[in-house]
Each structure stands twice: as C-alpha cells, then as structure tokens.
Amino acid sequence: MGALVVDARGMRCPWPALRLARAMRDAADVLLIADDPQAGREVAALAGEHGWLVEPEPAVDDAARWRVRRR
C-alpha cells in the first residue's frame, strides 16, 4: 500500500502541518504536498516533536513534497 496523500496546496501555515498531523494519526506513511514556503520548516519542527522521518521529494508544479513516516 502506498503513502496517504495530503494535498495542502493553497493553504498557508500552519494548515499544511496541521493536515499532516491529522493524517499521521491514522497512517504511518504520508506524502504531503504544499506550496507555502514556510511549510518545510513547519513540517520539520512537527516531525522532530513526534520522531517522524521526513524525506523531501522532487517538487512538481512549484509545490514541495515531503514523505513523512513513523520510525
């Protein structure tokens, strides 16, 4: 089974991080897509608090992507 996709394009922080946190309640593998320049910092901070692994993926259409997994 693949990662749960959370499309947070058009949302400003803290919404992408909040959507990620909500998705991680039920999933162990999430692909977050966001176009807010602050999202990367928010995602890193949230992952650090919870011990999640964050792997950046290639951006598509000016939207950054992060694969977030439980350790």
Side-chain angles (χ1 to χ4, degrees):
M1 187 166 137
L4 174 66
V5 177
V6 174
D7 188 346
R9 286 178 283 195
M11 296 181 186
R12 297 294 163 230
C13 284
W15 290 106
L18 292 172
R19 296 279 308 269
L20 172 62
R22 186 175 192 184
M24 290 296 288
R25 289 182 196 163
D26 299 322
D29 187 6
V30 173
L31 175 64
L32 175 67
I33 305 168
D35 55 6
D36 185 338
Q38 303 299 321
R41 189 170 36 216
E42 296 268 337
V43 167
L46 182 64
E49 290 176 17
H50 293 280
W52 301 333
L53 177 64
V54 178
E55 299 170 342
E57 295 206 347
V60 177
D61 297 330
D62 295 328
R65 295 169 175 250
W66 299 271
R67 190 78 174 256
V68 183
R69 296 183 177 111
R70 294 185 190 280
R71 291 184 191 240

Tab-separated table of all heavy atoms in Angstrom:
chain	number	residue	atom	x	y	z
A	1	MET	N	0.849	-1.172	0.000
A	1	MET	CA	0.000	0.000	0.000
A	1	MET	C	0.896	1.237	0.000
A	1	MET	O	1.878	1.317	0.722
A	1	MET	CB	-0.889	-0.019	1.243
A	1	MET	CG	-1.924	1.069	1.246
A	1	MET	SD	-3.127	0.696	2.524
A	1	MET	CE	-3.330	2.289	3.213
A	2	GLY	N	0.543	2.260	-0.776
A	2	GLY	CA	1.336	3.473	-0.880
A	2	GLY	C	1.023	4.456	0.227
A	2	GLY	O	0.205	4.212	1.113
A	3	ALA	N	1.682	5.572	0.130
A	3	ALA	CA	1.522	6.622	1.129
A	3	ALA	C	0.158	7.303	0.969
A	3	ALA	O	-0.360	7.433	-0.138
A	3	ALA	CB	2.624	7.657	0.974
A	4	LEU	N	-0.387	7.750	2.073
A	4	LEU	CA	-1.582	8.574	2.064
A	4	LEU	C	-1.165	9.957	1.567
A	4	LEU	O	-0.187	10.524	2.058
A	4	LEU	CB	-2.161	8.679	3.480
A	4	LEU	CG	-3.331	9.635	3.667
A	4	LEU	CD1	-4.545	9.134	2.906
A	4	LEU	CD2	-3.653	9.769	5.138
A	5	VAL	N	-1.854	10.498	0.576
A	5	VAL	CA	-1.506	11.795	0.005
A	5	VAL	C	-2.333	12.889	0.671
A	5	VAL	O	-3.568	12.798	0.732
A	5	VAL	CB	-1.729	11.814	-1.520
A	5	VAL	CG1	-1.436	13.204	-2.086
A	5	VAL	CG2	-0.864	10.768	-2.193
A	6	VAL	N	-1.638	13.905	1.173
A	6	VAL	CA	-2.287	15.078	1.752
A	6	VAL	C	-1.914	16.269	0.875
A	6	VAL	O	-0.761	16.675	0.837
A	6	VAL	CB	-1.849	15.326	3.213
A	6	VAL	CG1	-2.423	16.628	3.739
A	6	VAL	CG2	-2.259	14.154	4.090
A	7	ASP	N	-2.881	16.787	0.141
A	7	ASP	CA	-2.657	17.905	-0.764
A	7	ASP	C	-3.046	19.190	-0.046
A	7	ASP	O	-4.224	19.479	0.126
A	7	ASP	CB	-3.469	17.727	-2.032
A	7	ASP	CG	-3.129	18.748	-3.099
A	7	ASP	OD1	-2.458	19.763	-2.778
A	7	ASP	OD2	-3.529	18.534	-4.247
A	8	ALA	N	-2.038	19.948	0.375
A	8	ALA	CA	-2.278	21.183	1.114
A	8	ALA	C	-1.917	22.413	0.275
A	8	ALA	O	-1.644	23.476	0.809
A	8	ALA	CB	-1.481	21.170	2.414
A	9	ARG	N	-1.923	22.264	-1.055
A	9	ARG	CA	-1.642	23.405	-1.918
A	9	ARG	C	-2.709	24.473	-1.720
A	9	ARG	O	-3.890	24.164	-1.575
A	9	ARG	CB	-1.604	22.979	-3.382
A	9	ARG	CG	-0.345	22.205	-3.714
A	9	ARG	CD	-0.361	21.754	-5.132
A	9	ARG	NE	-1.250	20.589	-5.219
A	9	ARG	CZ	-1.289	19.766	-6.251
A	9	ARG	NH1	-0.515	19.967	-7.293
A	9	ARG	NH2	-2.103	18.737	-6.250
A	10	GLY	N	-2.250	25.721	-1.678
A	10	GLY	CA	-3.169	26.836	-1.469
A	10	GLY	C	-3.421	27.142	-0.004
A	10	GLY	O	-4.047	28.149	0.318
A	11	MET	N	-2.953	26.295	0.891
A	11	MET	CA	-3.124	26.520	2.324
A	11	MET	C	-1.875	27.182	2.888
A	11	MET	O	-0.767	26.821	2.535
A	11	MET	CB	-3.365	25.204	3.051
A	11	MET	CG	-4.612	24.520	2.654
A	11	MET	SD	-4.790	22.989	3.594
A	11	MET	CE	-6.220	22.296	2.806
A	12	ARG	N	-2.061	28.133	3.753
A	12	ARG	CA	-0.938	28.816	4.402
A	12	ARG	C	-0.704	28.197	5.769
A	12	ARG	O	-1.615	27.689	6.417
A	12	ARG	CB	-1.224	30.309	4.537
A	12	ARG	CG	-1.368	31.000	3.198
A	12	ARG	CD	-0.040	30.995	2.449
A	12	ARG	NE	-0.219	31.285	1.035
A	12	ARG	CZ	0.293	30.540	0.065
A	12	ARG	NH1	1.003	29.482	0.323
A	12	ARG	NH2	0.107	30.859	-1.186
A	13	CYS	N	0.551	28.237	6.203
A	13	CYS	CA	0.905	27.689	7.511
A	13	CYS	C	0.115	28.413	8.591
A	13	CYS	O	-0.126	29.609	8.466
A	13	CYS	CB	2.408	27.831	7.752
A	13	CYS	SG	3.323	26.604	6.800
A	14	PRO	N	-0.332	27.649	9.546
A	14	PRO	CA	0.088	26.299	9.914
A	14	PRO	C	-0.752	25.175	9.312
A	14	PRO	O	-0.579	24.026	9.697
A	14	PRO	CB	-0.074	26.307	11.429
A	14	PRO	CG	-1.304	27.124	11.645
A	14	PRO	CD	-1.203	28.222	10.584
A	15	TRP	N	-1.642	25.456	8.370
A	15	TRP	CA	-2.560	24.436	7.884
A	15	TRP	C	-1.896	23.211	7.273
A	15	TRP	O	-2.350	22.082	7.556
A	15	TRP	CB	-3.610	25.044	6.959
A	15	TRP	CG	-4.543	25.896	7.734
A	15	TRP	CD1	-4.591	27.259	7.750
A	15	TRP	CD2	-5.504	25.462	8.690
A	15	TRP	NE1	-5.542	27.692	8.643
A	15	TRP	CE2	-6.127	26.605	9.241
A	15	TRP	CE3	-5.904	24.210	9.137
A	15	TRP	CZ2	-7.115	26.529	10.203
A	15	TRP	CZ3	-6.899	24.141	10.098
A	15	TRP	CH2	-7.493	25.289	10.620
A	16	PRO	N	-0.847	23.330	6.447
A	16	PRO	CA	-0.239	22.089	5.946
A	16	PRO	C	0.275	21.181	7.071
A	16	PRO	O	0.074	19.967	7.033
A	16	PRO	CB	0.915	22.601	5.070
A	16	PRO	CG	0.445	23.940	4.601
A	16	PRO	CD	-0.288	24.518	5.789
A	17	ALA	N	0.903	21.766	8.080
A	17	ALA	CA	1.397	20.963	9.210
A	17	ALA	C	0.241	20.356	9.998
A	17	ALA	O	0.328	19.205	10.450
A	17	ALA	CB	2.280	21.808	10.118
A	18	LEU	N	-0.826	21.090	10.154
A	18	LEU	CA	-1.987	20.558	10.873
A	18	LEU	C	-2.634	19.414	10.104
A	18	LEU	O	-3.029	18.398	10.694
A	18	LEU	CB	-3.011	21.662	11.127
A	18	LEU	CG	-2.573	22.748	12.101
A	18	LEU	CD1	-3.589	23.880	12.130
A	18	LEU	CD2	-2.361	22.176	13.488
A	19	ARG	N	-2.707	19.545	8.788
A	19	ARG	CA	-3.254	18.460	7.965
A	19	ARG	C	-2.358	17.227	8.036
A	19	ARG	O	-2.836	16.096	8.078
A	19	ARG	CB	-3.414	18.912	6.510
A	19	ARG	CG	-4.418	20.034	6.283
A	19	ARG	CD	-5.868	19.584	6.212
A	19	ARG	NE	-6.120	18.522	5.294
A	19	ARG	CZ	-6.467	18.654	4.015
A	19	ARG	NH1	-6.587	19.851	3.488
A	19	ARG	NH2	-6.699	17.603	3.269
A	20	LEU	N	-1.046	17.449	8.057
A	20	LEU	CA	-0.106	16.338	8.195
A	20	LEU	C	-0.301	15.636	9.533
A	20	LEU	O	-0.375	14.405	9.589
A	20	LEU	CB	1.330	16.837	8.074
A	20	LEU	CG	2.419	15.815	8.387
A	20	LEU	CD1	2.371	14.641	7.421
A	20	LEU	CD2	3.784	16.477	8.380
A	21	ALA	N	-0.376	16.393	10.608
A	21	ALA	CA	-0.548	15.809	11.942
A	21	ALA	C	-1.820	14.972	12.006
A	21	ALA	O	-1.818	13.867	12.566
A	21	ALA	CB	-0.576	16.903	12.999
A	22	ARG	N	-2.875	15.476	11.407
A	22	ARG	CA	-4.139	14.739	11.414
A	22	ARG	C	-4.005	13.426	10.628
A	22	ARG	O	-4.476	12.379	11.064
A	22	ARG	CB	-5.242	15.596	10.827
A	22	ARG	CG	-6.585	14.985	10.926
A	22	ARG	CD	-7.625	15.948	10.436
A	22	ARG	NE	-8.942	15.467	10.802
A	22	ARG	CZ	-10.047	16.048	10.456
A	22	ARG	NH1	-10.012	17.160	9.750
A	22	ARG	NH2	-11.207	15.567	10.815
A	23	ALA	N	-3.347	13.481	9.469
A	23	ALA	CA	-3.176	12.285	8.647
A	23	ALA	C	-2.315	11.245	9.357
A	23	ALA	O	-2.567	10.043	9.245
A	23	ALA	CB	-2.553	12.656	7.309
A	24	MET	N	-1.300	11.702	10.087
A	24	MET	CA	-0.396	10.777	10.765
A	24	MET	C	-1.064	10.068	11.948
A	24	MET	O	-0.515	9.099	12.458
A	24	MET	CB	0.871	11.497	11.221
A	24	MET	CG	1.795	11.911	10.085
A	24	MET	SD	2.493	10.530	9.151
A	24	MET	CE	3.647	9.880	10.357
A	25	ARG	N	-2.220	10.517	12.361
A	25	ARG	CA	-2.955	9.792	13.412
A	25	ARG	C	-3.330	8.398	12.935
A	25	ARG	O	-3.334	7.450	13.713
A	25	ARG	CB	-4.241	10.530	13.772
A	25	ARG	CG	-4.056	11.798	14.508
A	25	ARG	CD	-5.409	12.392	14.831
A	25	ARG	NE	-5.308	13.782	15.206
A	25	ARG	CZ	-6.318	14.616	15.233
A	25	ARG	NH1	-7.533	14.208	14.909
A	25	ARG	NH2	-6.141	15.867	15.580
A	26	ASP	N	-3.686	8.286	11.635
A	26	ASP	CA	-4.188	7.028	11.094
A	26	ASP	C	-3.225	6.333	10.138
A	26	ASP	O	-3.413	5.162	9.828
A	26	ASP	CB	-5.506	7.276	10.348
A	26	ASP	CG	-6.578	7.843	11.268
A	26	ASP	OD1	-6.654	7.415	12.436
A	26	ASP	OD2	-7.333	8.725	10.815
A	27	ALA	N	-2.230	7.057	9.642
A	27	ALA	CA	-1.326	6.488	8.645
A	27	ALA	C	0.108	6.520	9.162
A	27	ALA	O	0.479	7.385	9.943
A	27	ALA	CB	-1.431	7.280	7.345
A	28	ALA	N	0.899	5.580	8.688
A	28	ALA	CA	2.312	5.540	9.070
A	28	ALA	C	3.198	6.095	7.963
A	28	ALA	O	4.399	6.243	8.140
A	28	ALA	CB	2.723	4.105	9.387
A	29	ASP	N	2.594	6.418	6.811
A	29	ASP	CA	3.331	6.882	5.639
A	29	ASP	C	2.467	7.909	4.916
A	29	ASP	O	1.397	7.570	4.399
A	29	ASP	CB	3.632	5.688	4.745
A	29	ASP	CG	4.539	6.010	3.591
A	29	ASP	OD1	5.057	7.143	3.496
A	29	ASP	OD2	4.736	5.105	2.754
A	30	VAL	N	2.915	9.173	4.881
A	30	VAL	CA	2.130	10.260	4.286
A	30	VAL	C	3.004	11.029	3.307
A	30	VAL	O	4.165	11.320	3.587
A	30	VAL	CB	1.602	11.223	5.378
A	30	VAL	CG1	0.930	12.438	4.766
A	30	VAL	CG2	0.637	10.495	6.307
A	31	LEU	N	2.435	11.368	2.161
A	31	LEU	CA	3.068	12.267	1.205
A	31	LEU	C	2.341	13.598	1.315
A	31	LEU	O	1.162	13.689	0.991
A	31	LEU	CB	2.970	11.724	-0.217
A	31	LEU	CG	3.500	12.665	-1.301
A	31	LEU	CD1	5.002	12.896	-1.129
A	31	LEU	CD2	3.189	12.117	-2.676
A	32	LEU	N	3.044	14.616	1.796
A	32	LEU	CA	2.472	15.954	1.944
A	32	LEU	C	2.907	16.800	0.754
A	32	LEU	O	4.090	16.855	0.422
A	32	LEU	CB	2.944	16.605	3.241
A	32	LEU	CG	2.500	18.050	3.450
A	32	LEU	CD1	0.990	18.136	3.633
A	32	LEU	CD2	3.223	18.675	4.628
A	33	ILE	N	1.941	17.472	0.133
A	33	ILE	CA	2.202	18.388	-0.974
A	33	ILE	C	1.757	19.764	-0.509
A	33	ILE	O	0.607	19.943	-0.086
A	33	ILE	CB	1.409	17.986	-2.230
A	33	ILE	CG1	1.700	16.541	-2.606
A	33	ILE	CG2	1.723	18.937	-3.388
A	33	ILE	CD1	0.763	15.983	-3.653
A	34	ALA	N	2.660	20.744	-0.571
A	34	ALA	CA	2.328	22.094	-0.107
A	34	ALA	C	3.114	23.125	-0.906
A	34	ALA	O	4.236	22.861	-1.328
A	34	ALA	CB	2.629	22.243	1.377
A	35	ASP	N	2.515	24.301	-1.090
A	35	ASP	CA	3.190	25.361	-1.828
A	35	ASP	C	3.496	26.589	-0.976
A	35	ASP	O	3.996	27.578	-1.486
A	35	ASP	CB	2.392	25.756	-3.072
A	35	ASP	CG	0.965	26.151	-2.772
A	35	ASP	OD1	0.581	26.231	-1.594
A	35	ASP	OD2	0.208	26.388	-3.740
A	36	ASP	N	3.244	26.534	0.311
A	36	ASP	CA	3.616	27.631	1.206
A	36	ASP	C	5.114	27.511	1.511
A	36	ASP	O	5.571	26.448	1.934
A	36	ASP	CB	2.818	27.564	2.496
A	36	ASP	CG	3.075	28.735	3.424
A	36	ASP	OD1	4.131	29.387	3.309
A	36	ASP	OD2	2.218	29.018	4.276
A	37	PRO	N	5.883	28.572	1.284
A	37	PRO	CA	7.328	28.500	1.529
A	37	PRO	C	7.699	28.170	2.981
A	37	PRO	O	8.789	27.664	3.240
A	37	PRO	CB	7.835	29.895	1.171
A	37	PRO	CG	6.768	30.531	0.376
A	37	PRO	CD	5.481	29.849	0.742
A	38	GLN	N	6.822	28.418	3.923
A	38	GLN	CA	7.094	28.128	5.330
A	38	GLN	C	6.811	26.675	5.703
A	38	GLN	O	7.178	26.227	6.791
A	38	GLN	CB	6.238	29.031	6.231
A	38	GLN	CG	6.443	30.504	5.989
A	38	GLN	CD	7.866	30.940	6.243
A	38	GLN	OE1	8.505	30.478	7.178
A	38	GLN	NE2	8.381	31.804	5.392
A	39	ALA	N	6.171	25.933	4.833
A	39	ALA	CA	5.742	24.571	5.166
A	39	ALA	C	6.898	23.656	5.533
A	39	ALA	O	6.777	22.848	6.452
A	39	ALA	CB	4.926	23.984	4.021
A	40	GLY	N	8.012	23.765	4.842
A	40	GLY	CA	9.150	22.892	5.130
A	40	GLY	C	9.636	23.027	6.556
A	40	GLY	O	9.915	22.030	7.229
A	41	ARG	N	9.714	24.247	7.032
A	41	ARG	CA	10.150	24.488	8.414
A	41	ARG	C	9.124	23.944	9.400
A	41	ARG	O	9.480	23.332	10.414
A	41	ARG	CB	10.368	25.982	8.611
A	41	ARG	CG	11.013	26.321	9.911
A	41	ARG	CD	11.451	27.753	10.010
A	41	ARG	NE	10.517	28.655	9.329
A	41	ARG	CZ	10.882	29.740	8.674
A	41	ARG	NH1	12.148	30.073	8.583
A	41	ARG	NH2	9.994	30.513	8.100
A	42	GLU	N	7.856	24.150	9.109
A	42	GLU	CA	6.787	23.656	9.992
A	42	GLU	C	6.767	22.119	10.037
A	42	GLU	O	6.610	21.525	11.096
A	42	GLU	CB	5.433	24.170	9.509
A	42	GLU	CG	5.283	25.658	9.574
A	42	GLU	CD	4.681	26.125	10.873
A	42	GLU	OE1	3.995	25.322	11.533
A	42	GLU	OE2	4.886	27.292	11.214
A	43	VAL	N	6.928	21.502	8.871
A	43	VAL	CA	6.926	20.038	8.799
A	43	VAL	C	8.114	19.472	9.573
A	43	VAL	O	7.974	18.511	10.329
A	43	VAL	CB	6.943	19.566	7.328
A	43	VAL	CG1	7.264	18.090	7.220
A	43	VAL	CG2	5.618	19.880	6.668
A	44	ALA	N	9.283	20.074	9.408
A	44	ALA	CA	10.477	19.602	10.125
A	44	ALA	C	10.292	19.715	11.634
A	44	ALA	O	10.658	18.801	12.377
A	44	ALA	CB	11.694	20.399	9.678
A	45	ALA	N	9.726	20.819	12.088
A	45	ALA	CA	9.511	21.005	13.522
A	45	ALA	C	8.513	19.980	14.067
A	45	ALA	O	8.740	19.371	15.122
A	45	ALA	CB	9.018	22.423	13.806
A	46	LEU	N	7.428	19.776	13.347
A	46	LEU	CA	6.415	18.815	13.783
A	46	LEU	C	6.988	17.400	13.810
A	46	LEU	O	6.774	16.652	14.769
A	46	LEU	CB	5.206	18.890	12.848
A	46	LEU	CG	4.028	17.990	13.183
A	46	LEU	CD1	3.413	18.379	14.518
A	46	LEU	CD2	2.978	18.060	12.077
A	47	ALA	N	7.725	17.048	12.770
A	47	ALA	CA	8.320	15.711	12.717
A	47	ALA	C	9.319	15.519	13.849
A	47	ALA	O	9.391	14.439	14.443
A	47	ALA	CB	8.994	15.501	11.363
A	48	GLY	N	10.089	16.557	14.153
A	48	GLY	CA	11.042	16.472	15.258
A	48	GLY	C	10.365	16.223	16.594
A	48	GLY	O	10.849	15.454	17.417
A	49	GLU	N	9.225	16.859	16.788
A	49	GLU	CA	8.476	16.674	18.041
A	49	GLU	C	7.956	15.252	18.194
A	49	GLU	O	7.845	14.747	19.308
A	49	GLU	CB	7.285	17.635	18.092
A	49	GLU	CG	7.652	19.079	18.269
A	49	GLU	CD	6.442	19.985	18.214
A	49	GLU	OE1	5.290	19.495	18.365
A	49	GLU	OE2	6.634	21.188	18.006
A	50	HIS	N	7.596	14.631	17.064
A	50	HIS	CA	6.968	13.308	17.103
A	50	HIS	C	7.911	12.167	16.745
A	50	HIS	O	7.508	11.004	16.804
A	50	HIS	CB	5.760	13.282	16.169
A	50	HIS	CG	4.645	14.154	16.631
A	50	HIS	ND1	3.757	13.778	17.610
A	50	HIS	CD2	4.283	15.412	16.261
A	50	HIS	CE1	2.892	14.751	17.822
A	50	HIS	NE2	3.206	15.754	17.016
A	51	GLY	N	9.140	12.490	16.342
A	51	GLY	CA	10.096	11.446	15.982
A	51	GLY	C	9.842	10.833	14.615
A	51	GLY	O	10.244	9.699	14.363
A	52	TRP	N	9.187	11.565	13.719
A	52	TRP	CA	8.909	11.064	12.377
A	52	TRP	C	10.103	11.311	11.470
A	52	TRP	O	10.867	12.244	11.657
A	52	TRP	CB	7.690	11.753	11.774
A	52	TRP	CG	6.432	11.599	12.548
A	52	TRP	CD1	6.076	10.584	13.380
A	52	TRP	CD2	5.333	12.520	12.579
A	52	TRP	NE1	4.838	10.807	13.921
A	52	TRP	CE2	4.350	11.997	13.434
A	52	TRP	CE3	5.081	13.736	11.957
A	52	TRP	CZ2	3.143	12.633	13.678
A	52	TRP	CZ3	3.875	14.375	12.203
A	52	TRP	CH2	2.917	13.818	13.054
A	53	LEU	N	10.244	10.491	10.458
A	53	LEU	CA	11.271	10.636	9.449
A	53	LEU	C	10.698	11.449	8.291
A	53	LEU	O	9.622	11.127	7.781
A	53	LEU	CB	11.706	9.258	8.954
A	53	LEU	CG	12.727	9.214	7.830
A	53	LEU	CD1	14.047	9.817	8.306
A	53	LEU	CD2	12.928	7.790	7.380
A	54	VAL	N	11.400	12.494	7.857
A	54	VAL	CA	10.950	13.343	6.751
A	54	VAL	C	11.952	13.240	5.622
A	54	VAL	O	13.145	13.452	5.825
A	54	VAL	CB	10.818	14.819	7.180
A	54	VAL	CG1	10.405	15.684	6.007
A	54	VAL	CG2	9.846	14.968	8.326
A	55	GLU	N	11.457	12.895	4.438
A	55	GLU	CA	12.298	12.805	3.244
A	55	GLU	C	11.718	13.722	2.176
A	55	GLU	O	10.611	13.495	1.700
A	55	GLU	CB	12.322	11.371	2.729
A	55	GLU	CG	12.891	10.382	3.720
A	55	GLU	CD	12.689	8.945	3.283
A	55	GLU	OE1	11.841	8.680	2.410
A	55	GLU	OE2	13.386	8.090	3.826
A	56	PRO	N	12.461	14.769	1.789
A	56	PRO	CA	11.976	15.631	0.707
A	56	PRO	C	11.924	14.842	-0.603
A	56	PRO	O	12.762	13.987	-0.859
A	56	PRO	CB	13.023	16.738	0.616
A	56	PRO	CG	13.848	16.625	1.850
A	56	PRO	CD	13.730	15.228	2.335
A	57	GLU	N	10.916	15.131	-1.408
A	57	GLU	CA	10.789	14.530	-2.727
A	57	GLU	C	10.831	15.651	-3.760
A	57	GLU	O	10.625	16.813	-3.421
A	57	GLU	CB	9.485	13.735	-2.823
A	57	GLU	CG	9.477	12.554	-1.877
A	57	GLU	CD	8.578	11.431	-2.339
A	57	GLU	OE1	7.769	11.629	-3.261
A	57	GLU	OE2	8.700	10.343	-1.760
A	58	PRO	N	11.083	15.329	-5.017
A	58	PRO	CA	11.148	16.374	-6.041
A	58	PRO	C	9.851	17.179	-6.130
A	58	PRO	O	8.755	16.608	-6.085
A	58	PRO	CB	11.395	15.592	-7.338
A	58	PRO	CG	11.978	14.291	-6.897
A	58	PRO	CD	11.372	13.999	-5.555
A	59	ALA	N	9.999	18.493	-6.235
A	59	ALA	CA	8.837	19.374	-6.363
A	59	ALA	C	8.209	19.207	-7.742
A	59	ALA	O	8.891	18.936	-8.725
A	59	ALA	CB	9.247	20.823	-6.152
A	60	VAL	N	6.903	19.369	-7.792
A	60	VAL	CA	6.151	19.295	-9.050
A	60	VAL	C	5.219	20.489	-9.097
A	60	VAL	O	4.500	20.764	-8.127
A	60	VAL	CB	5.349	17.974	-9.140
A	60	VAL	CG1	4.508	17.941	-10.406
A	60	VAL	CG2	6.267	16.771	-9.074
A	61	ASP	N	5.226	21.211	-10.203
A	61	ASP	CA	4.336	22.366	-10.372
A	61	ASP	C	4.493	23.382	-9.248
A	61	ASP	O	3.507	23.870	-8.702
A	61	ASP	CB	2.875	21.922	-10.473
A	61	ASP	CG	2.616	21.041	-11.683
A	61	ASP	OD1	3.307	21.222	-12.695
A	61	ASP	OD2	1.729	20.174	-11.607
A	62	ASP	N	5.719	23.676	-8.857
A	62	ASP	CA	6.013	24.655	-7.809
A	62	ASP	C	5.474	24.278	-6.438
A	62	ASP	O	5.314	25.133	-5.573
A	62	ASP	CB	5.503	26.051	-8.192
A	62	ASP	CG	6.231	26.599	-9.400
A	62	ASP	OD1	7.429	26.274	-9.560
A	62	ASP	OD2	5.613	27.339	-10.177
A	63	ALA	N	5.156	23.022	-6.239
A	63	ALA	CA	4.699	22.559	-4.931
A	63	ALA	C	5.741	21.592	-4.370
A	63	ALA	O	6.140	20.639	-5.041
A	63	ALA	CB	3.341	21.875	-5.027
A	64	ALA	N	6.172	21.845	-3.150
A	64	ALA	CA	7.127	20.959	-2.482
A	64	ALA	C	6.413	19.698	-2.014
A	64	ALA	O	5.191	19.703	-1.794
A	64	ALA	CB	7.764	21.681	-1.301
A	65	ARG	N	7.187	18.642	-1.869
A	65	ARG	CA	6.634	17.357	-1.423
A	65	ARG	C	7.561	16.769	-0.369
A	65	ARG	O	8.773	16.818	-0.512
A	65	ARG	CB	6.532	16.382	-2.603
A	65	ARG	CG	5.562	16.833	-3.647
A	65	ARG	CD	5.702	15.992	-4.903
A	65	ARG	NE	4.681	16.379	-5.852
A	65	ARG	CZ	3.640	15.609	-6.173
A	65	ARG	NH1	3.520	14.412	-5.659
A	65	ARG	NH2	2.741	16.050	-7.014
A	66	TRP	N	6.958	16.202	0.643
A	66	TRP	CA	7.701	15.526	1.702
A	66	TRP	C	7.040	14.195	1.970
A	66	TRP	O	5.827	14.106	2.128
A	66	TRP	CB	7.699	16.331	2.995
A	66	TRP	CG	8.331	17.661	2.869
A	66	TRP	CD1	9.654	17.987	3.044
A	66	TRP	CD2	7.667	18.880	2.550
A	66	TRP	NE1	9.835	19.315	2.839
A	66	TRP	CE2	8.637	19.898	2.542
A	66	TRP	CE3	6.347	19.231	2.262
A	66	TRP	CZ2	8.331	21.221	2.255
A	66	TRP	CZ3	6.035	20.534	1.977
A	66	TRP	CH2	7.022	21.521	1.982
A	67	ARG	N	7.865	13.145	2.087
A	67	ARG	CA	7.379	11.845	2.518
A	67	ARG	C	7.646	11.769	4.003
A	67	ARG	O	8.791	11.934	4.452
A	67	ARG	CB	8.153	10.763	1.768
A	67	ARG	CG	7.608	9.380	1.926
A	67	ARG	CD	6.385	9.211	1.042
A	67	ARG	NE	5.905	7.867	1.036
A	67	ARG	CZ	6.106	7.023	0.035
A	67	ARG	NH1	6.778	7.381	-1.028
A	67	ARG	NH2	5.612	5.813	0.110
A	68	VAL	N	6.622	11.569	4.791
A	68	VAL	CA	6.739	11.533	6.252
A	68	VAL	C	6.329	10.137	6.732
A	68	VAL	O	5.258	9.653	6.366
A	68	VAL	CB	5.843	12.617	6.910
A	68	VAL	CG1	6.022	12.615	8.409
A	68	VAL	CG2	6.152	13.987	6.321
A	69	ARG	N	7.217	9.542	7.536
A	69	ARG	CA	6.973	8.178	8.030
A	69	ARG	C	7.257	8.084	9.516
A	69	ARG	O	8.114	8.782	10.032
A	69	ARG	CB	7.890	7.203	7.307
A	69	ARG	CG	7.648	7.085	5.841
A	69	ARG	CD	8.574	6.021	5.256
A	69	ARG	NE	8.321	5.825	3.859
A	69	ARG	CZ	9.153	6.169	2.902
A	69	ARG	NH1	10.300	6.739	3.188
A	69	ARG	NH2	8.850	5.952	1.637
A	70	ARG	N	6.557	7.177	10.118
A	70	ARG	CA	6.869	6.851	11.525
A	70	ARG	C	8.158	6.053	11.540
A	70	ARG	O	8.422	5.257	10.655
A	70	ARG	CB	5.766	6.011	12.140
A	70	ARG	CG	4.476	6.743	12.257
A	70	ARG	CD	3.471	5.855	12.988
A	70	ARG	NE	2.162	6.455	12.908
A	70	ARG	CZ	1.740	7.436	13.671
A	70	ARG	NH1	2.539	7.903	14.597
A	70	ARG	NH2	0.533	7.945	13.554
A	71	ARG	N	8.955	6.247	12.575
A	71	ARG	CA	10.200	5.469	12.716
A	71	ARG	C	9.911	4.156	13.392
A	71	ARG	O	9.044	3.972	14.133
A	71	ARG	CB	11.214	6.250	13.543
A	71	ARG	CG	11.714	7.435	12.808
A	71	ARG	CD	12.776	8.119	13.638
A	71	ARG	NE	13.074	9.400	13.046
A	71	ARG	CZ	14.270	9.740	12.608
A	71	ARG	NH1	15.265	8.918	12.704
A	71	ARG	NH2	14.460	10.908	12.080
